[in-house]
Amino acid sequence: MSSIKASENLKTCAQLGASEDRLALDNRSLWPNGSELVVNMWGQSDFVRRKVIQYANEWSLYANITFRFMDRDAPGDSDIRVSFTSGIGSWSYIGTGAKTISQSNPTMNFGWFDDETSDEEFSRTVIHEFGHAIGCIHEQASPVVDIPWNKPAVYEYYLKNDNWDKGKVDSNVFAKAVQANTLNTKFDNTSIMQYPYPPELTLDGSSAGWNRVLSNLDKTFIMRCYPKEGIVRNTQDGVYLVNRIKGGNQTASGIAYYSHFGNNDGQQADDYAEVSNNGYTWWENGGEVTFGSGITVKWNLAEDAGKSPLFSRVGFANNGSEKWNVYRDDGRLLYERDGWQVYALFWAF
């Protein structure tokens, strides 16, 4: 039995770009950080228009990108043009690829919205398509993803449910982005940018359901690409400022380094440096530590960093050659090793 309802099968997104190279994000399609993107919606009821505005703005809670929605029938150019044409699905051009499209043509379409559409469907579809509009590609297109597709079954599925030919399936489901052109995390099947797929479409029975809200990794990743304050990075490594506990009474603090920063939950650090091996350190005091590789990481946090809102920027760190933003994490369990539980207090990239 498929985990995806038949009534939902037709509601699948196609992504469009200026080239055929399709969470991951195409770093060639990023808008300038801090951009205000002008959005013109063509038609639809006031109710549907309000819902599109509501859910598109979910991205602006985390990314330093804002959307200015034009009044109905207002004249003037726009960055994103939204049509509501039924029968052609929902889709969007990727990021600045929209700039290549004539002002007389849409850059995004919602193909099934009406006044009876549920909030869950507005959330799932609008957040996904506006994710494309700010540069995000389909999660399964990330160069680090290795879904064991049952390709004959996938071709049959999309032909039957979406009338997609083999070429469209290849470009929207199987195609992988080029690593050199991509900022990405470890595969996140809870990402709003991930296609749903039932177990019948994979060789190992793995699946992904309908994701209707931004995942925690979506939020932190888009903050990395469009930071509200500080600097923008294009490299992949980063660190967590962690506290460790063992047996309920042994405590320590350190910095866990990952060469590929992203969804690192459950992954052993690529390198680790102890800051304090007898009790927790007071991270807000700042400091520095040197890894076995010889790289020294320094950090400087706001005095109220530990009380700041989750995922907000609370300071800076650097490794001698590059400056990183530091954000407050939620104290989640990052990984376990040798009886120690390692918790993430802050992260920096």
Side-chain angles (χ1 to χ4, degrees):
M1 177 67 69
S2 171
S3 62
I4 301 176
K5 296 179 182 178
S7 62
E8 293 182 309
N9 283 344
L10 296 179
K11 299 179 179 179
T12 304
C13 159
Q15 62 183 13
L16 304 175
S19 72
E20 288 305 310
D21 285 336
R22 304 294 187 214
L23 175 290
L25 185 146
D26 189 328
N27 60 20
R28 301 165 301 169
S29 300
L30 285 172
W31 298 92
N33 191 39
S35 291
E36 179 187 68
L37 303 181
V38 179
V39 184
N40 193 357
M41 290 189 285
W42 296 345
Q44 259 298 351
S45 68
D46 289 344
F47 172 78
V48 170
R49 291 166 69 95
R50 285 195 302 270
K51 289 298 180 181
V52 171
I53 294 170
Q54 174 185 341
Y55 288 107
N57 283 330
E58 286 291 306
W59 286 108
S60 297
L61 296 175
Y62 306 97
N64 190 19
I65 290 286
T66 55
F67 302 107
R68 177 165 64 85
F69 289 85
M70 299 172 65
D71 293 336
R72 186 189 294 272
D73 300 325
D77 290 349
S78 55
D79 300 299
I80 300 169
R81 291 169 298 285
V82 181
S83 58
F84 296 90
T85 304
S86 61
I88 62 172
S90 291
W91 48 262
S92 175
Y93 281 84
I94 299 173
T96 55
K99 295 168 68 174
T100 67
I101 307 305
S102 166
Q103 288 289 321
S104 61
N105 291 322
T107 65
M108 182 184 296
N109 187 72
F110 294 115
W112 50 76
F113 288 167
D114 58 32
D115 286 2
E116 303 302 315
T117 301
S118 68
D119 270 21
E120 282 190 345
E121 185 63 18
F122 278 121
S123 177
R124 179 184 76 83
T125 309
V126 173
I127 298 175
H128 181 100
E129 299 306 341
F130 273 84
H132 284 319
I134 61 175
C136 297
I137 61 176
H138 285 143
E139 182 68 14
Q140 73 270 10
S142 169
V144 301
V145 172
D146 188 22
I147 298 171
W149 294 112
N150 181 341
K151 288 192 173 184
V154 175
Y155 288 129
E156 180 182 357
Y157 177 88
Y158 282 104
L159 179 62
K160 176 182 177 181
N161 293 303
D162 294 284
N163 198 31
W164 283 8
D165 61 19
K166 185 175 182 291
K168 196 164 187 179
V169 174
D170 287 342
S171 63
N172 279 282
V173 180
F174 298 144
K176 296 286 187 72
V178 177
Q179 181 67 76
N181 298 329
T182 310
L183 295 174
N184 56 272
T185 67
K186 180 187 176 184
F187 176 50
D188 176 19
N189 70 353
T190 66
S191 171
I192 193 68
M193 302 310 298
Q194 172 60 45
Y195 266 1
Y197 55 91
E200 293 86 351
L201 301 189
T202 60
L203 298 175
D204 64 354
S206 60
S207 63
W210 290 105
N211 298 325
R212 294 180 167 87
V213 297
L214 293 169
S215 70
N216 282 341
L217 188 54
D218 287 333
K219 297 172 185 177
T220 56
F221 180 65
I222 207 64
M223 287 168 63
R224 170 185 181 181
C225 300
Y226 294 108
K228 290 180 180 282
E229 299 179 77
I231 42 97
V232 183
R233 296 187 62 216
N234 291 311
T235 49
Q236 299 277 357
D237 61 337
V239 299
Y240 293 91
L241 283 58
V242 302
N243 285 347
R244 302 188 297 140
I245 187 168
K246 181 179 183 180
N249 56 4
Q250 291 180 264
T251 57
S253 296
I255 295 185
Y257 171 84
Y258 290 85
S259 59
H260 198 99
F261 188 89
N263 186 10
N264 303 117
D265 291 5
Q267 294 182 350
Q268 301 291 316
D270 295 320
D271 203 351
Y272 179 85
E274 198 84 292
V275 175
S276 170
N277 59 14
N278 185 21
Y280 296 138
T281 193
W282 191 259
W283 291 107
E284 288 85 344
N285 287 341
E288 65 179 72
V289 69
T290 301
F291 290 92
S293 62
I295 294 175
T296 296
V297 171
K298 300 179 181 180
W299 67 94
N300 185 15
L301 308 185
E303 62 182 14
D304 61 348
K307 298 180 181 179
S308 298
L310 288 178
F311 312 131
S312 62
R313 191 181 67 85
V314 295
F316 294 104
N318 71 77
N319 64 358
S321 61
E322 189 173 30
K323 195 173 185 180
W324 298 339
N325 297 302
V326 179
Y327 299 89
R328 186 187 168 200
D329 212 327
D330 59 4
R332 71 187 186 282
L333 179 65
L334 185 60
Y335 65 91
E336 297 182 74
R337 182 172 182 175
D338 299 331
W340 288 91
Q341 295 179 313
V342 182
Y343 295 90
L345 278 294
F346 304 95
W347 40 271
F349 51 64

